[in-house]
Structure formats: structure tokens, C-alpha cells
């Protein structure tokens, strides 16, 4: 190694370069650093002293003396050796260089430079080496101070020998009279100071020359007791450039921490040290990844305080490790958020929303973790959330910043809302909730502040979406079914109506006293019936309540028409016992009118069969009954009496003969003898209606051996011919009626008159006695009248001839046997 030389001293009254063997400009540049650092205090002995420092690519070692020959006091003379830094740091022993420096002012030489071979022998250790090692690796800043200049050269050489090349490049040493002269950018590592000036260094690391035991492994390295190679290799693995002794304790601590079985705190400590030692993320990537993976693996078992301590973990010196922050997020998602952790969680929330309190990666991870925990369908987070809000209301803004706005999260938070909240906290909460449109939680908070009626009243003012009743449900979460009903009647909100209907369904007795005088009550009853048809019975007197509603309808009052639609599907649709039913038909629209008419029709029919007609149907109802299928079903019901069924027809004036005839035939087809009283009732109906075809059918059935119909036929005698009544012995005809029957039969058998087929002459009469004009019947009437008075043939002879002509005519045979006609007794 080639070593240049330079001499410094008094030049024109000042301190400057006198001569140099090499680069003169460099030698000029360092002239000030080879002067005394400050004016020497009076009476202080310091000369000579050695110094060493690096500048650029060179290292300078010098010995400085007081120049007693100078024109003024306080001037010095220095002999400096200047050499390449990269070559010098490979030298372990500085003594060969110290030996080339002049030892007195009288030895001043002309600088020429020289070549120096590396001396592989280690220098003798200074007795202060352990003290210096302890001081250099201990806590503190600024240079380590060695009291006294004697032996300083040996101490510098001893420390140099223990240093690694990079550290040697930054190792500096010199004389100092006090902290005030430590002004250069590169603060010297080691200074010596006169013993008398020790008081000036009270705040600095002053080495203890009596130290015999290294205070740390780092101190052992500097003292030459331990091999620094493992630590230095670790430094290389992490990409650390250990150029300063102040870095050695951190490197040692990081190495020691990672060399044992470590936990999360150890990894955090090591990572912070590694980042400080190796801030370049491109260096030591593999080792840094291993460390980061170790930290990530411990996150799942971390305590809240440990996660909180990671908030300033910048990791700028590490490769990107998203897995670490994903684990932090997962850690929060899986938390049960125990109450004992509330204080730390509060700090975490505050830090997550404060850019100045935590690094962005941590804030994002915590924010996403809180959001994920809020989405989990469990009560751990919502319950903790409300504890945090109550204990630390100042965190309210931060909490809501982190909470996701999803509906599912809102419902979880609402469901966990405490039963009671202070008014001040409640007010602040309501503002936050309105800002994010969390109306479900808004309702829950109101329920914790006010009575149910007031809570829901306040909720309705801001919760205007009729499609969503969740907020109102939460506002009423502590209300009894009766209170819900009361609120609905008072406020008449459609959502309250639905909730009140649900309350009626769960507890029908709360509606027992309702009279439905309010439209809201009508709406509630309607909604309840639509959900459960049996709730038409919810009022204690449902028919009475229905009647009041109908009276309101008739009187033009405000009526909830859908209630009438619901009632139309219940027994209340039968208006049989509502006296003013005819007025109701006029108020109902067609389809609804039809439903009530149908129900009333069925009800009226049922009552008739059970107890007789309860009332005379009005015209509209009669028409409905006539059209209803139940009418025919009832009329054909064998379980009902004929009298009751006849009573039904009696009430329906428009019940047609043909329809009755079909029913009558169906009844007769059952081949069951009808009670006499029922048959009489039936005959009375037929007689009143003048239904001749029915009479004819009865007569035909009677002749067909349905003798049970005789009472009806007797009632309908006026609708039967005389001969029929006479022949069937339904009533005894008078002689005049008998002769009339004879006339009628003769006219039917001999329509042209008595001279037909010479009947009259065959009976012994004279045709010339017969009337010359008139119809056949009129002639028969005339001649039979004469016969009755004794003129003409005898009736018996005429009947005999007729029987010969019509031997099978039953009527003729019947008349011929009657003594009042034939005269045969």
C-alpha cells in the first residue's frame, strides 16, 4: 500500500499545509481537520495526540504536537499519512502506521511518501479495550470519551483490530476539549480528552478503564473475546451495511432474538431492528421473507396489544408481504371481542382511522378486519361495538367509519342495541345513523331512549318508506302487543297497521274491546283476518262491531272498504241478522255485493231449514237466493222437512213453476211417503201460485198410486175438473155438476152431437127432436137437459149405447154406474 505524507503547521500566521507528497489539493482540503479542534484551555496538557478519519476514498492518520516555535501560542504541527481507504481497511494493525509518524517536533521531515506492507500481527490490547467496547456498544449518542491522551494511540489500534472492514472505514478518533468542538458532519467514534476536562462530558459515554467484563456480546466482539463472524454473516443475510459501531448492538439483538424459539413480540422486535439495519427492501430479500413468514405465523395467536403494537410497522425495508396484513384481518374476523380487551380495541379503532397514528397497511387490514367481523352472523362483534360506544363515545365517528353499510350488518347492530342509552349518546348516535340511512338501528336507539309510543312517533317522522317496516319494528322492540295496537290506532301508519295485526294474531285478546270506530282499527282487523281467517272473532262481539261498520257505510262515514272484503270471506258476511241489509246492497260495488248476497242467501236458507224463515228477503236478496246454487241443494236436502223447503219457495215469488216441477219430481222420485201436513203445505203453495202443471203432475202421481198426495189435490180442487174430483172421490159433486160432467163427456165422445152414428135414434130418441143448429156441445147440453126433465130417451138407454161404442172408457163407465144419472137404483 502506498502512503502519502503531508506536513501542517504555521503558514503566514495561520494553520495550513506546508508540504505534501501526493495530491496537494486533498492535502489542502483537510488542513483544518489537522489543527486543534478548539482553543486549548489554559494549563491543560494534551500534546501530542493521534487522530484518524476517512474522507472520500482516503483515510488519514496523523500525530499533532504543540508548536512552541510558532510566532503565536496555541499553534500546532501535524504529520499526516494519507492512504487509500479500500486498502487500509484490510490492515488489522495500525501500529505500523503510527510508527511512521514523527514523535517530536524536532523530527519534522520532508514528505516523500512510502510503501507499506500489511502487518498481519494483531496489536497489543489496550487495558482500556473492554471499557471502550462496553461504552461503544452501550446506549448513548456522540463519541465515546476516553479520559487522558496517554495510551490513546494503543486504544485506537486495539479497537481498529477488532473492527470489520466496513466499520473501519467510518471509525474516527482524535482529541477533543469538550462537546462544543464536535462540529464536523462525521462525528468521531472515539475521542480522548484531558482528565481535567472530564466534567464537560457528563452526558456522554465515558469509558471506564476499570471494566474487566464485557457488558454484551457486542462488547465481546470489540474486545476481541468473541468471534463476530456469525453476527456479521447474519448482517449480510439481511442486507445490512454495518458501517458504524452504533449498529452492532442492534445487529446483535436481532440475531440473538431470531436465534432462539421466538414469539410474536420477538419477531416484532427483530423486524424493527432488521428494518433499521437494512432499510433497502431489495437487499436481504430471502432472509427478510423468512422473518416475515415467522411473524405472520404468530398473528393468529396474538393478543390485542400485540396487534396494536404493529400499527407503526412500516416494513419499508422488506419485500411486499400481503399475507401478514391478511392474517391481521383474519385475526379480527375470528375475534370474540372479550370485554377485557375493550380498551385496546378502542385504541385500535382510533388508530385505524387516523393517518398519523398508524401505517396505511395496518389501518387497511384493521379496517377490513373490523368490517369482516361485523359481517359475521354472530353477536360477538355487535355486543362489543355497543360496549365501545358506551364506554368511549368519542370513538363514535371512528367506529362508523369502519362499519360496513350492508343491510345485514345494520340488522345485527340493531338487534344488539342496549335497552337503555343516555340522551347525549343517543342524540349523537341518531345523527350518525341518519347520515348513513341506518333506519333499523335508528329505531332501536329510539326504543332505548323513549317509551314505545314516542319512539315510534319519532321514527315515523324520518322513516317514510312504506315498503320497509324494520325501523319501526325496532322502535317497538320493547312494546307489548297491546302497546303496538295502541300506537297503530293513534298514528295510523300502514306499517304499524301490519305490526298491530301481527300482535293481534299472536295475542287476539288485545282486540277484544275494539269497536272499530276508528279507521285504523278497521285496517288492523282487516290485516289480521287476511293473515288468519279465524280472527273475525277477535272483537268480543264481532257481529255488533260488524254492524257498526255497516252503519258507517250506510251513513256515508269513512270506512276501510278492504275490511268489508275480508269480512265477506267470514261468517260475518251473512247479514241475515242485520236489519238494514237492503241499504248495504246499495253501497257495495258489484263483486263485493255479490259476496255478501251469496253469504246472506246461504245464511237465510240455513235458518229457514233450522227454524223457519227469519225474515222476508228483500227484492235484491230474493234474486240472489234464486240464483244461488245452494237453493237447489237445500231444496233437495232430504234432512230438511218438506214444509221448510216449501216455505223457502213461498218466500220467493219468482220461483218458477218449471223449476218447482223439477224439484217436485225429484222429491217424488225418492219414493218416500210424504207427511200429510207437508203435503197440505205444498198444495197450498201450488194453489196460490196457480201452477196447473204441478197439479197435473200430482194428479198423475196420485193416479200412479202416490196416495200421499191426496191432501194436496184436495186443496187444489178448484184446479181439477169436476169429473176428476168426482171420479177420484176428492170431493162429492152436486147433481148439477154430475150432469155437467155427463154433457162434457158426451161432447168429447160425440163432438158433432147426439145424432153421431145414429146414437140418438139407437137410444130410442127421434132425430127430428134434436136442435137444428148450434155446436155439438150446445146440442148435447140441450138434449141432456131435456132428458133430465123426462123428455126423450132414458139416460140409461143412452148410456148403454155409448158403452157399446166405448166399452173401455172409464169415465163413461163411472157415469153409467151413477144412479143420479142413469136413474137406476
Amino acid at each position: 500500500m502506498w502512503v502519502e505524507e503531508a506536513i501542517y503547521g504555521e503558514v503566514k500566521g495561520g494553520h495550513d499545509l506546508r508540504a505534501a507528497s501526493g495530491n496537494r489539493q486533498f492535502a489542502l482540503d483537510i488542513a483544518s481537520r489537522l489543527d486543534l479542534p478548539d482553543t486549548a484551555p489554559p494549563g491543560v496538557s494534551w500534546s501530542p495526540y493521534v487522530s484518524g478519519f476517512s474522507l472520500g476514498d482516503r483515510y488519514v492518520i496523523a500525530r499533532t504536537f504543540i508548536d512552541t516555535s510558532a510566532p503565536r501560542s496555541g499553534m500546532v504541527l501535524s504529520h499526516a499519512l494519507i492512504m487509500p481507504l479500500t486498502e487500509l481497511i484490510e490492515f488489522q494493525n495500525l501500529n505500523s502506521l503510527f510508527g511512521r509518524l514523527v514523535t517530536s517536533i524536532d523530527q519534522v521531515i520532508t514528505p516523500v511518501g512510502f510503501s507499506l506492507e500489511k502487518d498481519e500481527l494483531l496489536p497489543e490490547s489496550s487495558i482500556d479495550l473492554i471499557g471502550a467496547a462496553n461504552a461503544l456498544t452501550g446506549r448513548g449518542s456522540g463519541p465515546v470519551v476516553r479520559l487522558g491522551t496517554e495510551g490513546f494511540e494503543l486504544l485506537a489500534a486495539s479497537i481498529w483490530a477488532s473492527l470489520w472492514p466496513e466499520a473501519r472505514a467510518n471509525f474516527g478518533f482524535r482529541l477533543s476539549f469538550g462537546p462544543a468542538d464536535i462540529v464536523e458532519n462525521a462525528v468521531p467514534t472515539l475521542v480522548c480528552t484531558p482528565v481535567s476536562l472530564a466534567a464537560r462530558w457528563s452526558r456522554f459515554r465515558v469509558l471506564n478503564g476499570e471494566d474487566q467484563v464485557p457488558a454484551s456480546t457486542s462488547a465481546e466482539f470489540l474486545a476481541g473475546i468473541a468471534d463476530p463472524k456469525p453476527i456479521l454473516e447474519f448482517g449480510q443475510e439481511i442486507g445490512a451495511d454495518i458501517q458504524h459501531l452504533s449498529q452492532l448492538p442492534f445487529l446483535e439483538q436481532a440475531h440473538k432474538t431470531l436465534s432462539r424459539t421466538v414469539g410474536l413480540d420477538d419477531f416484532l422486535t427483530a423486524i424493527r431492528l432488521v428494518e433499521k439495519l437494512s432499510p433497502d427492501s431489495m437487499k436481504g430479500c430471502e432472509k427478510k421473507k423468512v422473518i416475515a413468514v415467522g411473524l405472520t405465523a404468530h398473528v393468529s395467536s396474538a393478543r390485542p396489544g400485540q396487534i396494536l403494537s404493529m400499527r407503526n410497522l412500516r416494513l419499508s425495508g422488506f419485500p411486499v408481504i400481503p399475507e401478514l396484513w391478511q392474517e391481521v384481518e383474519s385475526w379480527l374476523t375470528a375475534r370474540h371481542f372479550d370485554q377485557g380487551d375493550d380498551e385496546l380495541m378502542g385504541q385500535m379503532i382510533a388508530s385505524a382511522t387516523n393517518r398519523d397514528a398508524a401505517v396505511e397497511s395496518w389501518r387497511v387490514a384493521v379496517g377490513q378486519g373490523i368490517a369482516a367481523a361485523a359481517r359475521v352472523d354472530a353477536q360477538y362483534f355487535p355486543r362489543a361495538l355497543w360496549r365501545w360506544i358506551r364506554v368511549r363515545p368519542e370513538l363514535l365517528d371512528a367506529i362508523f367509519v369502519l362499519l360496513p353499510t350492508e343491510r345485514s350488518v345494520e340488522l345485527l347492530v340493531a338487534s344488539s342495541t342496549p335497552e337503555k342509552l343516555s340522551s347525549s349518546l343517543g342524540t349523537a348516535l341518531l345523527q350518525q345513523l341518519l347520515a348513513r340511512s341506518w333506519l333499523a338501528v335508528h329505531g332501536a336507539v329510539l326504543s332505548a331512549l323513549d317509551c314505545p309510543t314516542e319512539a315510534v312517533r319519532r321514527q315515523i317522522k324520518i322513516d317514510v318508506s312504506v315498503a320497509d317496516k324494520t325501523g319501526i319494528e325496532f322502535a317497538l322492540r320493547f312494546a307489548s302487543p297491546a302497546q303496538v295496537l295502541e300506537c297503530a290506532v293513534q298514528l295510523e301508519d300502514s306499517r304499524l297497521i301490519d305490526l298491530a295485526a301481527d300482535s293481534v294474531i299472536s295475542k287476539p285478546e288485545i282486540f277484544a274491546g275494539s269497536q272499530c270506530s276508528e279507521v285504523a282499527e278497521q285496517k288492523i282487523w282487516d290485516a289480521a283476518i287476511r293473515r288468519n281467517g279465524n280472527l273475525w272473532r277477535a272483537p268480543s262481539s264481532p257481529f255488533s262491531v260488524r254492524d257498526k261498520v255497516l252503519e258507517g257505510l250506510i251513513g256515508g262515514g269513512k270506512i276501510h272498504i278492504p275490511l268489508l272484503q275480508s269480512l265477506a270471506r267470514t261468517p260475518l258476511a251473512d247479514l241475515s241478522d242485520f236489519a238494514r241489509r237492503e241499504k248495504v246492497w246499495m253501497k257495495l260495488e258489484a263483486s263485493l255485493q255479490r259476496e255478501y248476497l251469496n253469504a246472506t242467501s246461504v245464511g237465510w236458507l240455513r235458518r229457514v231449514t233450522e227454524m223457519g224463515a227469519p225474515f222476508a228477503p228483500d227484492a235484491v236478496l230474493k234474486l240472489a237466493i234464486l240464483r244461488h246454487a245452494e237453493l237447489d241443494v237445500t231444496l233437495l236436502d232430504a234432512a230438511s222437512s218438506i214444509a221448510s223447503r216449501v216455505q223457502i219457495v213461498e218466500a220467493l215469488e219468482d220461483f218458477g213453476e218449471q223449476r218447482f216441477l223439477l224439484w217436485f219430481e225429484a222429491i217424488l222420485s225418492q219414493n218416500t211417503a210424504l207427511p200429510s201436513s207437508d203435503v197440505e203445505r205444498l198444495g197450498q203453495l201450488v194453489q196460490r201460485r196457480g201452477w196447473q202443471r204441478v197439479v197435473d203432475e200430482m194428479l198423475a202421481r196420485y193416479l200412479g198410486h202416490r196416495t200421499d198426495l191426496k191432501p194436496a189435490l184436495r186443496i187444489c180442487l178448484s184446479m181439477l175438473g169436476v169429473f176428476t174430483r168426482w171420479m177420484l172421490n176428492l170431493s162429492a159433486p152436486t147433481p148439477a155438476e154430475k150432469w155437467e160432467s155427463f154433457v162434457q163427456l158426451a161432447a168429447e165422445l160425440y163432438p158433432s152431437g147426439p145424432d153421431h152414428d145414429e146414437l140418438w135414434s139407437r137410444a130410442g130418441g127421434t132425430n127430428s127432436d134434436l136442435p137444428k143448429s148450434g155446436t155439438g156441445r150446445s146440442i148435447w147440453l140441450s138434449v141432456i137437459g131435456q132428458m133430465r126433465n123426462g123428455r126423450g130417451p132414458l139416460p140409461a138407454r143412452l148410456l148403454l149405447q155409448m158403452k157399446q161404442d166405448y166399452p173401455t172408457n172409464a169415465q163413461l163407465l163411472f157415469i153409467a154406474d151413477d144412479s143420479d144419472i142413469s136413474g137406476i137404483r
Side-chain angles (χ1 to χ4, degrees), residues 290-541:
V290 171
I291 298 171
V293 168
L295 172 63
T296 303
H298 284 77
V299 169
S300 62
S301 58
R303 299 183 303 276
Q306 292 174 315
I307 298 296
L308 181 63
S309 70
M310 294 170 65
R311 65 185 182 275
N312 59 356
L313 199 63
R314 296 189 180 280
L315 298 176
S316 57
F318 281 73
V320 177
I321 45 175
E323 296 82 6
L324 172 63
W325 303 118
Q326 291 169 4
E327 278 297 304
V328 171
E329 179 180 338
S330 298
W331 178 87
L332 279 160
T333 305
R335 296 298 292 172
H336 285 188
F337 300 101
D338 297 329
Q339 190 169 358
D341 297 332
D342 284 354
E343 178 58 33
L344 291 171
M345 288 304 304
Q347 295 179 39
M348 199 176 296
I349 289 170
S351 299
T353 55
N354 184 347
R355 292 180 178 274
D356 297 329
V359 298
E360 182 178 3
S361 297
W362 184 89
R363 287 188 291 105
V364 170
V366 170
Q368 292 178 346
I370 290 289
R375 294 185 181 101
V376 174
D377 188 13
Q379 291 300 312
Y380 304 125
F381 178 82
R383 289 173 182 170
L385 175 72
W386 283 109
R387 292 199 307 271
W388 303 336
I389 289 174
R390 297 177 81 174
V391 174
R392 296 191 61 181
E394 72 276 8
L395 290 179
L396 195 58
D397 290 345
I399 289 172
F400 276 95
V401 166
L402 298 180
L403 274 179
T405 59
E406 286 94 326
R407 176 69 164 177
S408 59
V409 176
E410 178 190 6
L411 295 179
L412 286 172
V413 173
S415 298
S416 300
T417 305
E419 292 186 14
K420 295 295 180 183
L421 292 169
S422 67
S423 59
S424 58
L425 178 58
T427 300
L429 273 167
L430 293 176
Q431 293 175 349
Q432 285 279 1
L433 297 168
L434 282 177
R436 67 165 42 201
S437 297
W438 267 19
L439 299 183
V441 187
H442 187 280
V445 169
L446 285 176
S447 74
L449 297 173
D450 290 315
C451 67
T453 302
E454 185 58 28
V456 76
R457 190 189 304 276
R458 293 176 64 182
Q459 182 73 12
I460 287 174
K461 288 182 179 178
I462 55 92
D463 193 348
V464 296
S465 174
V466 294
D468 186 3
K469 61 183 177 182
T470 312
I472 291 177
E473 287 179 305
F474 277 106
L476 290 171
R477 61 190 176 128
F478 299 126
S480 67
Q483 287 175 314
V484 174
L485 177 60
E486 179 185 356
C487 290
V489 173
Q490 288 186 19
L491 302 176
E492 203 177 334
D493 181 271
S494 61
R495 294 161 295 179
L496 279 173
I497 298 296
D498 285 341
L499 293 175
D502 291 339
S503 296
V504 172
I505 291 170
S506 65
K507 198 169 184 180
E509 57 267 28
I510 66 173
F511 206 71
S514 175
Q515 296 299 310
C516 286
S517 55
E518 300 289 337
V519 172
E521 291 179 287
Q522 297 176 19
K523 290 181 177 179
I524 294 167
W525 195 18
D526 170 45
I529 294 173
R530 290 176 187 275
R531 290 166 171 78
N532 183 344
N534 290 326
L535 287 176
W536 66 269
R537 297 187 180 94
S540 57
S541 300

Side-chain angles (χ1 to χ4, degrees), residues 672-782:
T672 302
L674 303 179
S676 177
S677 59
D678 289 350
V679 174
E680 288 179 356
R681 186 73 177 265
L682 188 149
Q684 291 169 357
L685 171 64
V686 172
Q687 194 276 333
R688 281 198 301 272
R689 297 285 174 88
W691 285 342
Q692 186 61 53
R693 287 188 296 163
V694 178
V695 172
D696 294 343
E697 180 65 21
M698 287 194 294
L699 182 60
R701 296 286 181 154
Y702 179 76
L703 292 174
H705 307 293
R706 285 300 301 261
T707 57
D708 55 331
L709 297 178
K710 188 173 184 178
L713 289 171
R714 283 185 170 177
I715 292 173
C716 296
L717 288 177
S718 62
M719 301 175 70
L720 295 171
V722 173
F723 183 79
T724 300
R725 288 181 287 161
W726 178 20
M727 185 180 70
L728 298 180
N729 196 28
L730 296 176
S731 65
T734 65
E737 289 176 329
K738 291 180 179 181
W739 284 103
E740 173 62 29
S741 298
F742 185 21
V743 171
Q744 183 176 347
L745 178 60
E748 290 177 0
L749 297 176
Y750 304 95
S752 62
D755 60 351
H756 184 84
D757 288 338
E758 297 298 325
L759 172 65
W760 186 255
S761 61
R762 282 189 286 127
T766 301
N767 287 341
S768 61
D769 293 336
L770 296 174
K772 304 303 180 194
S773 62
T775 64
R777 188 181 189 286
S778 65
I779 295 172
W780 276 114
L781 181 62
S782 175

Side-chain angles (χ1 to χ4, degrees), residues 100-118:
R100 290 297 190 109
L101 293 171
V102 298
T103 56
S104 71
I105 195 172
D106 298 329
Q107 289 183 321
V108 174
I109 60 172
T110 299
V112 293
F114 58 86
S115 178
L116 183 68
E117 296 295 327
K118 185 185 297 185

Side-chain angles (χ1 to χ4, degrees), residues 158-211:
S158 298
I159 294 174
W160 178 277
S162 299
L163 297 178
W164 55 98
E166 292 83 1
R168 289 170 182 167
N170 290 286
F171 179 62
F173 52 92
R174 67 171 172 84
L175 171 74
S176 177
F177 295 124
D181 64 34
I182 307 296
V183 295
E184 59 263 55
N185 291 332
V187 175
T189 310
L190 179 71
V191 298
C192 61
T193 191
V195 175
S196 59
L197 302 180
R200 295 185 177 184
W201 302 95
S202 60
R203 297 183 179 179
F204 285 74
R205 295 174 293 172
V206 178
L207 70 84
N208 184 358
E210 296 181 358
D211 282 349

